[in-house]
Amino acid sequence: MSVLDPRPHAQQSTGIPMPPRWLAVVVAALLGLAGLTGVFAVVAGIRLYGVIDGEAGFLTTDAQDLHGALSLWETAGRFQGGAYILCGALFIQWFYRTRRALGLLAPDRFRHGAGWAIGAWFVPIVNLWVPYRIAFDMWGGASPLPSDGQPYRAPVWPVNLWWALFAGNAVFSRWCAARFDFADDLAELRQAAVQYMICDSLEILAAGAAILFVLRLSAMHERKVLEGPYGPAA
């Protein structure tokens, strides 16, 4: 069975629209593509590490092999950058549209206006916290209420896992970039390659966690529109 509810698209009598299922699927596919570019980057990092031989202080490499490995690494970086920009643009569109739609279902669950679902991503420091709070509130807004009317929130570990990996990788990648820029010998270059491989591995995990977050939230949102706020809490 698909993660998204397979039942026909419909609207409640209240006129609340269904969430954009097609957009969630496209975003999930692009996140998968971003994860694949991360795999490519890890492979390129392994090659770069492998062309540098010897122990610390006695490292050697063939100039042609090093040039080829660096060229492959830079190509992988360009693929990553392109996939990240495309995926980011569609993800933010999905994030905003989902926040706006859930605001109609649960307006009392949100501490930030719908505009922050876009703007918060572009404000330094703020983008390390506010998008998470909006995602957390969206998760609560998409959660059904039990039949006795008491507040209910689905387990939030998919939100926490996604954001921990995403924010951690965002900070770590900047540190890796700074270390690479200041690498001036083979030892530092090989160390930078190892650090980037760790960073790229985190990016792959973050992409997988983001797919889970997008599909789970979209399924919860759709179910709440179809069944109402007092649908099954399981």
Side-chain angles (χ1 to χ4, degrees), residues 30 36 40 60 66-68 91 134 160-161 174 178 188 193 205 207 222 229 231:
L30 288 175
L36 289 176
F40 181 22
T60 61
L66 181 61
H67 176 75
F91 181 90
I134 295 172
N160 295 334
L161 176 64
R174 289 178 181 148
E188 292 180 356
L205 294 175
E222 182 171 321

Side-chain angles (χ1 to χ4, degrees), residues 53-54 56 61 96 128 141 149 159 202-203 209 212 216-217 221 225 229:
D53 299 319
T61 186
Y96 168 72
L128 293 177
V159 185
L202 286 176
E203 183 176 313
L212 175 64
R216 285 283 295 273
L217 180 59
H221 184 181
V225 172

Side-chain angles (χ1 to χ4, degrees), residues 2-230:
S2 171
V3 176
L4 292 179
D5 196 320
R7 289 170 291 189
H9 283 247
Q11 290 189 357
Q12 282 191 304
S13 59
T14 56
I16 296 175
M18 292 294 291
R21 178 188 292 191
W22 69 268
L23 185 56
V25 172
V26 171
V27 169
L30 288 175
L31 285 166
L33 176 63
L36 289 176
T37 64
V39 174
F40 181 22
V42 171
V43 171
I46 292 173
R47 181 180 176 189
L48 178 60
Y49 184 90
V51 299
I52 302 175
D53 299 319
E55 300 296 332
F58 301 95
L59 299 178
T60 61
T61 186
D62 180 83
Q64 186 174 356
D65 290 343
L66 181 61
H67 176 75
L70 285 172
S71 178
L72 181 65
W73 203 31
E74 291 170 359
T75 299
R78 286 193 294 270
F79 274 108
Q80 276 185 299
Y84 186 86
I85 291 172
L86 181 60
C87 183
L90 268 294
F91 181 90
I92 291 174
Q93 182 183 354
W94 168 83
F95 196 77
Y96 168 72
R97 291 181 63 174
T98 302
R99 162 61 184 89
R100 188 176 61 180
L102 283 171
L104 300 175
L105 284 174
D108 59 328
R109 291 291 189 117
F110 294 94
R111 287 160 282 190
H112 300 85
W116 280 104
I118 296 176
W121 295 97
F122 301 99
V123 181
I125 307 302
V126 170
N127 58 14
L128 293 177
W129 177 249
V130 173
Y132 165 74
R133 295 305 310 177
I134 295 172
F136 191 86
D137 291 342
M138 288 197 297
W139 197 264
S143 301
L145 296 176
S147 58
D148 59 5
Q150 295 300 315
Y152 171 83
R153 187 188 295 273
V156 297
W157 66 264
V159 185
N160 295 334
L161 176 64
W162 159 62
W163 192 255
L165 289 169
F166 172 77
N169 181 66
V171 174
F172 186 52
S173 65
R174 289 178 181 148
W175 182 78
C176 289
R179 292 294 301 270
F180 175 75
D181 290 341
F182 287 101
D184 56 5
D185 58 36
L186 291 177
E188 292 180 356
L189 181 60
R190 189 165 71 168
Q191 187 177 26
V194 172
Q195 292 161 352
Y196 259 115
M197 282 189 282
I198 296 172
C199 180
D200 293 329
S201 298
L202 286 176
E203 183 176 313
I204 296 167
L205 294 175
I211 292 172
L212 175 64
F213 165 68
V214 168
L215 296 182
R216 285 283 295 273
L217 180 59
S218 296
M220 291 164 55
H221 184 181
E222 182 171 321
R223 184 175 182 179
K224 191 166 186 177
V225 172
L226 289 170
E227 299 180 351
Y230 293 91

